[in-house]
Amino acid sequence: MQQENILATFKILIIGESGVGKSSLMLRFTEDDFDKDQALTIGVDFKTKIVEIDNVKVKLAIWDTAGQERFRTLTPSYYRDAQGAILVYDVTKKDTFQKLESWLNELEIYGTRNNMAKMIVGNKIDSTDRTITRDDGFRFAKKHRTMFIETSARTNEGVRDAFEEVVRKIMETDGLWERNDYGDSLDLNRGGGQQSGCSC
């Protein structure tokens, strides 16, 4: 696909506690695959995907961050210039839901864009051991003024919708992104562009 067909590159983070299915969500979305024996992420994983949203092609640089405490010192630099964040919890584990507050706080501390698009995602809804209801998740998201969806990486339910809604929110937010400069290659480590006041 030619570079000039891609309107912009968006940096999207997937954050949350260890074992909630962050890597599985990214694998399902980028490769339409699921590995029930998915290994825990060590440090940071990274994938790209070109998507077409409302007849516009954009490139997503998706960063999957490790949830384990010993890797937390690695993460601040990965928050830089991110336009979107997907905060994941496991609907079968109450503690992963309760920890969302601290992940939102990290976004506030390390994120460099105040108007970042945020989505709360309750994953593993295919499980019969649910302890967090949909209403619980919805109320939390409403309280923090974020988007909300429930997903299953195993069955693919809601996965594409989660990513696409974050992309739409980014595209609708003034000053959060800029069009690609077709004369230069994209630096994915910076999230595909410098911060700009352009409403595009």
Side-chain angles (χ1 to χ4, degrees), residues 87-135:
L87 297 95
V88 187
Y89 66 94
D90 181 342
V91 299
T92 72
K93 295 180 180 177
K94 195 168 186 177
D95 62 313
T96 66
F97 181 68
Q98 293 169 336
K99 291 287 184 65
L100 287 176
E101 290 276 1
S102 65
W103 287 105
L104 281 168
N105 287 339
E106 282 207 5
L107 279 180
E108 290 296 320
I109 294 169
Y110 299 116
T112 55
R113 299 176 189 266
N114 295 328
N115 51 356
M116 184 189 299
K118 303 182 188 75
M119 169 79 81
I120 302 294
V121 173
N123 191 37
K124 304 190 183 181
I125 57 172
D126 57 282
S127 174
T128 58
D129 300 324
R130 177 194 281 265
T131 59
I132 306 297
T133 68
R134 182 180 181 84
D135 283 345

Side-chain angles (χ1 to χ4, degrees), residues 48-96:
T48 62
K49 184 177 177 69
I50 294 171
V51 297
E52 186 169 325
I53 306 290
D54 302 329
N55 298 316
V56 175
K57 288 186 177 71
V58 294
K59 189 172 193 174
L60 307 184
I62 305 169
W63 297 88
D64 169 24
T65 57
Q68 302 99 307
E69 188 68 34
R70 67 181 183 276
F71 294 119
R72 297 294 275 276
T73 56
L74 299 174
T75 59
S77 62
Y78 294 104
Y79 283 82
R80 190 175 303 122
D81 290 333
Q83 291 110 329
I86 293 175
L87 297 95
V88 187
Y89 66 94
D90 181 342
V91 299
T92 72
K93 295 180 180 177
K94 195 168 186 177
D95 62 313
T96 66

Side-chain angles (χ1 to χ4, degrees), residues 156-174:
N156 203 20
E157 183 176 352
V159 176
R160 186 171 184 85
D161 290 338
F163 284 90
E164 288 188 352
E165 286 306 308
V166 170
V167 172
R168 283 194 178 91
K169 184 68 173 178
I170 293 170
M171 294 174 71
E172 292 168 0
T173 304
D174 289 348

